[in-house]
Amino acid sequence: MTGAWVLLGTLAVAALAGFLLKSRNGRIRQVRPAPESVEAPAARLPAPVAEVLDPASAVTLVQISTTFCAPCRHTRVILSALADRTPGLTHVDLDVTNQPEVAQALSVLRTPTTLALTPDGREVLRVSGLPKAAKLLEALRPHLAATA
């Protein structure tokens, strides 16, 4: 009988963990503005990220990916299509498989993670997991309209 209780307890914990992970997947997190610093925000970014910022776009979506990440491929399709049809939006996929220090410097704990960065390198929002295009576009509207 004890084995049955252990099994039920294990299944309950697994179901709760699955529910929590699923509810956090694709959640958009607004980033609070950092206190003013002497250096520009781009100077605090790792070099591979700072190099891909598009100065001509209001927002650059930097997708942090790894080679064997299946959701990363789906995210790439969603973000590329979104950037293609949205003026002022650029998408860049940055594979950090061989550059774990980049993910560490950005406090990225899972892939895919998408960072929305302004041309000066300021992070305005972050999406962990597979993003929902409509919700992401809605969250980006104020940043896209500010430079339009």
Side-chain angles (χ1 to χ4, degrees):
M1 189 65 180
T2 303
W5 286 111
V6 169
L7 178 62
L8 284 174
T10 303
L11 289 174
V13 169
L16 180 63
F19 174 75
L20 289 174
L21 286 174
K22 185 171 175 83
S23 69
R24 293 187 61 148
N25 190 40
R27 187 178 63 150
I28 298 170
R29 213 177 45 162
Q30 298 290 334
V31 177
R32 292 188 188 106
E36 292 302 317
S37 174
V38 176
E39 63 183 345
R44 294 188 300 262
L45 290 173
V49 177
E51 291 168 2
V52 298
L53 291 178
D54 184 359
S57 292
V59 176
T60 300
L61 297 175
V62 179
Q63 176 186 337
I64 307 299
S65 302
T66 53
T67 304
F68 299 106
C69 167
C72 294
R73 291 187 278 272
H74 297 294
T75 298
R76 186 178 308 116
V77 170
I78 291 168
L79 296 180
S80 293
L82 187 62
D84 287 345
R85 69 175 189 261
T86 307
L89 190 62
T90 302
H91 169 248
V92 177
D93 187 5
L94 186 62
D95 187 336
V96 296
T97 303
N98 297 319
Q99 306 174 70
E101 67 280 356
V102 173
Q104 184 178 14
L106 296 169
S107 301
V108 171
L109 302 176
R110 68 182 278 204
T111 58
T113 293
T114 304
L115 309 174
L117 302 168
T118 60
D120 66 351
R122 187 173 45 89
E123 184 178 340
V124 293
L125 61 87
R126 176 180 290 230
V127 182
S128 183
L130 190 63
K132 294 163 185 67
K135 287 185 178 182
L136 179 59
L137 186 57
E138 187 62 32
L140 288 172
R141 288 240 184 260
H143 306 289
L144 295 171
T147 57

